[in-house]
Amino acid sequence: MKNSEMSGSSPFKMRLVHLDLKGAPPKVSYLSEVFPLFHALGANGLLLEYEDMFPYEGHLRLLRAKHAYSPPEIKEILHLATLNELEVIPLVQTFGHMEFVLKHKALAHLREVALFPNTLNPHEAESLALVGAMISQVMELHPGARWLHIGCDEVYYLGEGEASRQWLQQEHNTKARLCLSHIKAVACHVLARHPTTRPLVWDDMLRAIPEDQLSASGVPQLVEPVLWDYGADLDIHGKALLMEKYRKCGFLRLWAASAFKGATGASQALTPTEHHLRNNMQWLRVAASGPSDMLQGIVLTGWQRYDHFSVLCELLPVGIPSLAVCLQSLLHGGFAEDVKAKVENFLGISNLEITDFISEGAGTFPGSDILALVTHVGLHLRSSVDALLERDSLLARWSTVVQELEAALHRVFYPDAVEEWLEENVQPSLRRLQGLLQDLREAASPSPYVGQDP
């Protein structure tokens, strides 16, 4: 069944799965296994956030991660996407979240604040040239892309650099104006070179900017905002008001962004499916509250790190049951029993649990073995180690028992009989326990020589 036939009851014409490749990027062989599942579940597009996995060339080659995809691998990913009717939208960060670029010494002079590699200095001509070169290389491998996401979320410390401080002292200059001018410059760069490609931006930097400033900036004619909110209890009325504001400012198309994983804790290992289902259900209600053509589509984000230097959150295979639940619920308008049965069938899980992390049957979907083992480790490894490491209490408990027993024996037997019996039946085990504890204490305490030069 084609996705065009499947989307009858969904208010979202486009349903994009976001792949955040800045952490634990899957091998192409795994993507070849999951793309058919994404399609079957109701996705018809991908938002590919390459970050350092893109094979940048020339003076940008230093941006590549160790295992960055090669140009033939990018072409293979795009071919696999086409085979599975998944339209690809590449994402290139161009303002905030630039750590993977600005961490490099050769580019550190383009930071907004010298100490922090996350935000680009918008005053430097070289900054625009840099993001322009990145965009050119990405677009070269994505010819004909209808959209390009240029990021622009969480532009921390904007206005705190020396050039910005001076600029802000001039009359009428504000942080909002500074933000809008850079977004406009990047969007104009994209449209001048790729007139049929529409830039998308995350909307958080736009939310608080007054209507008149947004309208006067010219930005609404250039970009399509993606309104993101990953909360299980997101404010439906507040979102409706925000969409109305954006429409009044002149934005022609809006997008929504929910989450299927990576939004409930920076070090989350197991995906709380119920949270993500509720989040996506709220977005369905937002879509129903306004004109039917107001939202172009929804991006189901699957964050892998909160930022470039953050730890890994849930791995992609671990989040697939949540993705399945969310996509099917968006498609069918809720998670009724018949939808649950469809999801179980797609995943090969006999009884899917969305309120906790245990489902009957490991599943037969690609990566289901990883989900089963990660769940086992997540639920049992720490607790079993904790039980061992609560060793002092274990020793204390047995010492108490032995003291009671010794007292009871002394009431009936002479001391040498008590000593002999305890030596035969109790002391060897207690000595082994004490020895283990001593070894563990020594292992846990740092060596006085650690960190010193040899």
Side-chain angles (χ1 to χ4, degrees):
M1 185 164 29
K2 288 189 181 287
N3 269 330
S4 55
E5 297 162 25
M6 293 166 66
S7 55
S9 61
S10 178
F12 299 108
K13 292 197 296 287
M14 298 286 292
R15 295 169 300 279
L16 308 176
V17 177
H18 167 241
L19 294 179
D20 177 18
L21 301 172
K22 66 176 167 281
K27 294 178 179 178
V28 179
S29 55
Y30 182 67
L31 296 178
S32 74
E33 295 176 27
V34 289
F35 283 5
L37 179 61
F38 290 177
H39 169 74
L41 289 169
N44 55 10
L46 299 169
L47 179 63
L48 294 185
E49 183 160 356
Y50 289 110
E51 230 218 32
D52 56 5
M53 284 301 289
F54 188 81
Y56 288 105
E57 300 281 7
H59 70 295
L60 297 178
R61 195 179 178 92
L62 81 170
L63 304 185
R64 288 185 181 196
K66 182 181 177 184
H67 298 290
Y69 298 132
S70 65
E73 283 179 316
I74 298 284
K75 286 176 180 163
E76 175 66 9
I77 292 168
L78 299 182
H79 173 64
L80 291 166
T82 303
L83 284 180
N84 292 287
E85 298 178 48
L86 299 168
E87 180 164 1
V88 171
I89 300 179
L91 186 152
V92 182
Q93 285 289 4
T94 59
F95 205 177
H97 285 295
M98 291 283 284
E99 298 95 339
F100 79 104
V101 178
L102 301 176
K103 70 180 182 182
H104 296 285
K105 202 172 176 183
L107 298 167
H109 63 287
L110 296 177
R111 296 174 181 181
E112 166 72 341
V113 176
L115 278 176
F116 305 117
N118 50 350
T119 296
L120 190 67
N121 179 346
H123 303 279
E124 292 283 346
E126 198 186 332
S127 293
L128 190 59
L130 169 68
V131 296
M134 290 165 64
I135 287 167
S136 294
Q137 292 197 19
V138 169
M139 288 302 291
E140 199 176 316
L141 285 182
H142 295 76
R146 286 200 290 168
W147 291 278
L148 169 71
H149 201 312
I150 57 172
C152 299
D153 58 318
E154 297 177 333
V155 188
Y156 299 134
Y157 311 112
L158 181 64
E160 294 181 27
E162 195 47 49
S164 287
R165 287 176 192 273
Q166 291 178 17
W167 186 86
L168 287 169
Q169 282 170 2
Q170 296 167 33
E171 201 181 354
H172 304 307
N173 283 352
T174 62
K175 283 187 189 180
R177 196 171 168 189
L178 180 57
C179 179
L180 290 168
S181 67
H182 182 73
I183 292 174
K184 185 175 183 178
V186 175
C188 285
H189 176 95
V190 172
L191 291 164
R193 288 156 185 78
H194 311 280
T196 58
T197 302
R198 294 290 297 174
L200 303 181
V201 293
W202 298 119
D203 85 308
D204 52 287
M205 298 301 292
L206 308 175
R207 288 172 199 162
I209 299 177
E211 223 172 278
D212 55 342
Q213 284 187 48
L214 273 175
S215 299
S217 69
V219 167
Q221 285 69 45
L222 302 171
V223 304
E224 298 176 11
V226 184
L227 289 70
W228 61 272
D229 192 323
Y230 313 140
D233 53 359
L234 71 82
D235 178 359
I236 295 165
H237 182 60
K239 285 289 175 292
L241 292 176
L242 184 59
M243 291 196 301
E244 191 51 39
K245 170 186 159 177
Y246 287 155
R247 288 301 282 261
K248 278 186 192 164
C249 295
F251 288 107
L252 299 175
R253 280 203 187 106
L254 306 174
W255 297 67
S258 61
F260 73 90
K261 76 174 188 78
T264 56
S267 60
Q268 187 81 26
L270 299 173
T271 304
T273 301
E274 188 180 26
H275 171 98
H276 297 294
L277 172 60
R278 287 173 56 201
N279 169 241
N280 281 272
M281 288 299 92
Q282 290 294 86
W283 273 114
L284 270 183
R285 293 181 186 107
V286 171
S289 71
S292 60
D293 62 341
M294 191 176 266
L295 287 166
Q296 172 73 19
I298 187 166
V299 179
L300 291 90
T301 62
W303 299 100
Q304 195 56 77
R305 297 188 195 278
Y306 278 24
D307 67 55
H308 183 77
F309 295 115
S310 190
V311 294
L312 292 171
C313 36
E314 308 106 289
L315 298 170
L316 179 57
V318 173
I320 280 181
S322 172
L323 176 64
V325 166
C326 295
L327 271 172
Q328 282 284 291
S329 298
L330 287 173
L331 204 61
H332 299 291
F335 191 61
E337 276 301 314
D338 61 326
V339 179
K340 181 175 184 277
K342 284 186 170 79
V343 170
E344 288 170 345
N345 188 43
F346 281 125
L347 300 177
I349 291 174
S350 54
N351 186 23
L352 179 70
E353 273 295 338
I354 65 162
T355 51
D356 62 29
F357 301 117
I358 304 289
S359 288
E360 280 177 37
T364 55
F365 64 90
S368 55
D369 54 339
I370 291 174
L371 170 62
L373 292 164
V374 166
T375 302
H376 186 65
V377 166
L379 296 180
H380 303 300
L381 174 62
R382 192 167 293 164
S383 60
S384 66
V385 172
D386 285 348
L388 175 65
L389 295 181
E390 282 178 0
R391 51 198 187 261
D392 292 337
S393 64
L394 179 64
L395 181 60
R397 281 201 305 273
W398 280 114
S399 297
T400 303
V401 170
V402 171
Q403 280 171 7
E404 282 181 34
L405 174 58
E406 193 173 346
L409 291 171
H410 273 295
R411 283 198 298 274
V412 177
F413 304 106
Y414 295 106
D416 57 342
V418 172
E419 186 180 340
E420 185 180 342
W421 192 91
L422 290 175
E423 186 57 45
E424 187 179 334
N425 294 283
V426 173
Q427 299 304 346
S429 292
L430 283 188
R431 276 198 291 272
R432 281 173 63 210
L433 181 58
Q434 283 170 323
L436 173 65
L437 301 188
Q438 187 59 35
D439 290 348
L440 286 170
R441 278 194 204 95
E442 286 169 9
S445 60
S447 159
Y449 303 107
V450 169
Q452 295 180 8
D453 290 328

